[in-house]
Amino acid sequence: MTLLTIDTAEHVTTLTLNRPDSMNPLGAAGDGDAFAAACDAINADMGVRCVILTGAGRAFSAGGDIKAMKEKTGNFGGTAPEIADGYRNNIHKILRALYSLRVPLIAAVNGPAIGLGCDLACLADMRIASDKAKFGVTFLKLGIIPGDGGTWILPRIIGEARAAELFYTGDVIDAPTALEWGLVSRVVGHDALLEEANALAAKVAAMPPHALRQAKNLMRQGRSTSYDAALEMAANAQALMHSTQDHMEGVDALIEKRAPKFTGR
């Protein structure tokens, strides 16, 4: 079954993990290419200003395919070097594609987000959870380690102590705990999840597209740079934004006390 369904409307693209019968597992042959193609197309389309990632059915994603692990097929078969290359060339390609999105990404977590599924959600800029959502990084319970970059991602979101607790115990937390820990920014009723995600995406998509992408880039670069370097990048990016028509539209709209209409020029 095709991994992703892709729908775009009103400057927002929704990516839906679409293997509901098996809780949206990841890592089948071609999954990395599917994500790379979708994210490359989004990055190339200035009409897209925000992305929502969610899952079909009752799960966001249960992570790696346990059946394939048992049978040692696909990404989980072969010699150790072959398995490593399977991670690099397929599973990690999914993660790199999402991480490289130039527009804001909202994860609408509709159910369990476990292992690789949790890592995917953590790559989003914003996370909204259904009250049926659960989160876990349960790799050690399977006798493996977090192979998807989760040890880099999760501590940046919830801090090292809480990330360590989840990694070392394999515990799964519910949506209210995820909210308390800062893993998600809000929890909503299950039936209202996509409505809330689309409302948030609409607010994001109302912003000027060039400035939106620059702001995301500056936030991303700020994770690993000095304050002086961040100021220098901001100065250069700001100079470009001052030359856009969208900047003048924002100024005019504020003076005229009306909502701005940004066109990407």
Side-chain angles (χ1 to χ4, degrees):
M1 181 181 291
T2 302
L3 171 62
L4 289 174
T5 61
I6 305 171
D7 298 291
T8 300
E10 301 294 332
H11 302 297
V12 177
T13 292
T14 300
L15 303 176
T16 304
L17 302 171
N18 192 36
R19 290 173 181 151
D21 293 343
S22 48
M23 297 181 70
N24 302 320
L26 299 162
D31 283 0
D33 290 335
F35 263 92
C39 292
D40 284 348
I42 289 166
N43 285 338
D45 185 354
M46 290 302 298
V48 178
R49 303 181 188 180
C50 190
V51 175
I52 297 170
L53 177 66
T54 193
R58 63 189 180 91
F60 180 77
S61 173
D65 189 332
I66 299 298
K67 183 178 179 180
M69 291 184 192
K70 172 65 176 177
E71 297 173 351
K72 293 191 176 297
T73 58
N75 249 116
F76 310 114
T79 65
E82 288 170 339
I83 292 172
D85 279 342
Y87 275 86
R88 294 185 185 102
N89 300 327
N90 191 29
I91 291 176
H92 291 178
K93 200 169 186 178
I94 298 171
L95 298 156
R96 291 181 187 277
L98 283 180
Y99 186 74
S100 297
L101 275 176
R102 296 180 61 201
V103 297
L105 172 63
I106 299 167
V109 185
N110 55 300
I114 308 299
L116 174 55
C118 185
D119 292 340
L120 244 63
C122 287
L123 286 172
D125 301 288
M126 297 158 277
R127 283 165 296 282
I128 300 175
S130 152
D131 54 13
K132 295 183 179 181
K134 296 180 180 180
F135 299 85
V137 280
T138 56
F139 300 95
L140 269 67
K141 283 188 172 181
L142 298 174
I144 56 178
I145 54 90
D148 317 313
T151 52
W152 186 90
I153 303 166
L154 192 59
R156 285 170 161 77
I157 299 172
I158 63 173
E160 292 216 3
R162 281 176 166 160
E165 181 176 338
L166 291 183
F167 283 126
Y168 300 157
T169 66
D171 284 349
V172 174
I173 60 174
D174 59 15
T177 304
L179 180 62
E180 179 187 348
W181 287 15
L183 182 54
V184 300
S185 59
R186 67 183 82 169
V187 176
V188 301
H190 184 73
D191 292 340
L193 178 64
L194 286 182
E195 181 181 350
E196 288 285 332
N198 277 290
L200 177 58
K203 288 183 179 181
V204 173
M207 296 296 108
H210 292 295
L212 195 60
R213 292 183 178 215
Q214 287 288 347
K216 175 163 180 172
N217 181 56
L218 289 172
M219 285 190 68
R220 180 67 53 77
Q221 297 302 323
R223 294 176 178 174
S224 59
T225 193
S226 68
Y227 184 52
D228 284 342
L231 287 174
E232 183 62 22
M233 287 188 290
N236 290 324
Q238 190 73 299
L240 292 173
M241 295 305 98
H242 274 285
S243 68
T244 65
Q245 292 182 26
D246 277 344
H247 166 54
M248 293 314 302
E249 166 63 10
V251 171
D252 289 343
L254 183 62
I255 292 172
E256 296 166 12
K257 298 181 180 179
R258 60 174 174 82
K261 296 181 179 180
F262 298 118
T263 60
R265 295 194 295 270

